[in-house]
Amino acid sequence: MAKRLFIFLTLLAVAAMFFDFASHFRPADKLSPLAEHYVAEGPQELGAANLVTAVVVTYRGLDTLGEVTVLFLSAAGVGLLLAGRRKREDAEPQEDLHPSSELVQTAVQFLLPIAMLFGVYIFVNGHLTPGGGFQGGAVIASGTLLLFLALPNAKLHHGIMGELESFSGFGYVLVGLLGIFLAGGFLDNRFLPLGDFGRLLSAGAMPLIYVLIGLKVGTELSVVLERFKGE
Amino acid sequence: MTISVATLALGTGLLLMLIGLWGLLAQRNLIRLILGFSLLDTGIHIVMVSIGYVTGGTAPIIDAAVDPAQAVHTVVDPIPSALVLTAIVIGLGITAVMLSFAIRIHDRKKTLSIEDCTESKG
């Protein structure tokens, strides 16, 4: 009972703190000076139509490299925690999972290529439209999830997935280093021509970086999903 | 008095954070704890996005709908959106690791109750 009272009091204190914050909150009616610079100069400076992408990939590109690293570490952690857990349970043999109904299987055969293509579309157009590497990669991974729903015994080709993931991670860092030698600094996108504003091949190395991030996130999340499914 | 979109989003985010905190404090099932953590995480994302909202602004994407010369006065702040994008991905990674810990604990103890994890209790 004392515990419940304690929980209630804690929540009440936090709620009072939040209320104080919310009651003084006024929606901004203009941009902060830093954001103003990004919005005013970003399109000419970097050639990206999507300013969130300009911030994520170039202005704060180092954060994004850290983010990709965290995602990689968590995928590795999931692999480490869940690898070989079937071998320990030799006592209770793992029966094959039931395949789902024909309806689901047919629908997935139709939807899987579209889902994958949509994921690629999202990360290729990340510098022009809402979306980007992480979103596109998540769509690709949801395609993998569809596959596992229809065919629970499906297996991913670990060789190809591993190669693709290492290649894209390495490529991302390499593109960042090229920025140091050929342009203004690490992850600077301007060592490739900026091109015509708003076209697919524009904004320097930004589409390249987002394609690599998209491939990396897509393969990583697919492998994580397969780990959770159990092999 | 009319309530603006940003205030409404802020209130929703803070409420979600409170619900998540309650889940973390009051629940004893590992999956529910992870759900509480995710709610707390999502609440923080909504609060951050609502702080970056500029009244009447549109998405910070320069296309046919946004005049590049007037963009400074018509778009919302792109920086919180970028931060939240990072935060969502990291939250996802943390959730995946927590879920795999839950699977391992269930493998060993055949239960998901945190009451049975007493090894490190002082």
Side-chain angles (χ1 to χ4, degrees):
Chain A
M1 202 58 222
K3 200 158 134 192
R4 283 199 180 167
L5 188 70
F6 174 69
I7 290 173
F8 180 72
L9 288 178
T10 309
L11 288 176
L12 208 65
V14 176
M17 226 162 63
F18 284 171
F19 182 77
D20 187 53
F21 168 53
S23 61
H24 291 98
F25 176 74
R26 294 278 169 276
D29 44 16
K30 66 183 184 58
L31 293 175
S32 64
L34 179 66
E36 206 175 302
H37 171 80
Y38 287 166
V39 172
E41 309 295 334
Q44 289 88 35
E45 210 169 29
L46 304 177
N50 184 345
L51 294 166
V52 178
T53 299
V55 174
V56 167
V57 175
T58 303
Y59 286 125
R60 309 297 307 166
L62 199 61
D63 292 6
T64 306
L65 186 63
E67 176 186 2
V68 170
T69 313
V70 168
L71 196 62
F72 169 73
L73 283 177
S74 78
V78 170
L80 191 69
L81 283 166
L82 298 184
R85 59 185 270 271
R86 292 282 169 241
K87 284 174 201 149
R88 284 190 168 195
E89 292 178 294
D90 285 336
E92 34 182 304
Q94 189 71 16
E95 78 266 37
D96 270 6
L97 301 154
H98 286 293
S100 52
S101 72
E102 195 181 344
L103 207 61
V104 177
Q105 290 193 20
T106 314
V108 167
Q109 281 175 14
F110 175 67
L111 283 174
L112 186 64
I114 299 178
M116 294 285 177
L117 193 66
F118 186 55
V120 173
Y121 168 83
I122 287 181
F123 67 63
V124 167
N125 282 289
H127 58 304
L128 302 175
T129 55
F134 297 99
Q135 298 88 326
V139 172
I140 288 181
S142 64
T144 314
L145 186 61
L146 267 181
L147 176 71
F148 288 152
L149 283 179
L151 306 165
N153 297 310
K155 281 190 170 48
L156 298 175
H157 192 302
H158 281 167
I160 291 180
M161 299 304 264
E163 299 274 317
L164 202 59
E165 193 189 331
S166 338
F167 161 77
S168 47
F170 176 73
Y172 183 25
V173 178
L174 195 71
V175 169
L177 289 176
L178 282 178
I180 293 186
F181 295 117
L182 304 175
F186 190 61
L187 284 168
D188 194 332
N189 68 330
R190 287 171 293 181
F191 66 87
L192 291 175
L194 288 187
D196 291 337
F197 184 78
R199 303 295 293 273
L200 185 59
L201 288 178
S202 67
M206 239 180 246
L208 186 62
I209 292 176
Y210 251 176
V211 166
L212 292 171
I213 292 180
L215 286 176
K216 189 162 171 60
V217 173
T219 48
E220 234 156 36
L221 294 186
S222 299
V223 172
V224 166
L225 286 174
E226 194 187 23
R227 290 279 184 209
F228 277 126
K229 176 174 78 78
E231 287 164 60
Chain B
M1 177 193 151
T2 53
I3 297 175
S4 70
V5 185
T7 316
L8 201 63
L10 186 89
T12 314
L14 293 176
L15 193 66
L16 272 179
M17 283 170 73
L18 269 184
I19 296 172
L21 194 64
W22 170 79
L24 286 178
L25 290 173
Q27 296 299 322
R28 284 289 162 266
N29 183 305
L30 282 173
I31 301 292
R32 291 185 184 198
L33 285 173
I34 295 170
L35 275 177
F37 183 87
S38 295
L39 279 175
L40 184 60
D41 211 32
T42 311
I44 295 172
H45 299 159
I46 296 176
V47 168
M48 280 166 75
V49 167
S50 68
I51 288 173
Y53 181 75
V54 176
T55 310
T58 180
I61 297 171
I62 312 289
D63 55 9
V66 177
D67 177 16
Q70 288 298 311
V72 175
H73 306 292
T74 51
V75 301
V76 302
D77 196 336
I79 301 168
S81 311
L83 285 176
V84 167
L85 175 58
T86 309
I88 288 172
V89 175
I90 291 174
L92 176 82
I94 293 172
T95 311
V97 174
M98 285 195 295
L99 282 171
S100 31
F101 270 113
I103 292 175
R104 286 314 291 256
I105 288 171
H106 186 262
D107 276 356
R108 275 184 92 120
K109 301 181 186 287
K110 301 289 166 212
T111 167
L112 279 172
S113 171
I114 201 170
E115 308 278 355
D116 297 319
C117 305
T118 49
E119 287 92 344
S120 52
K121 224 171 182 176

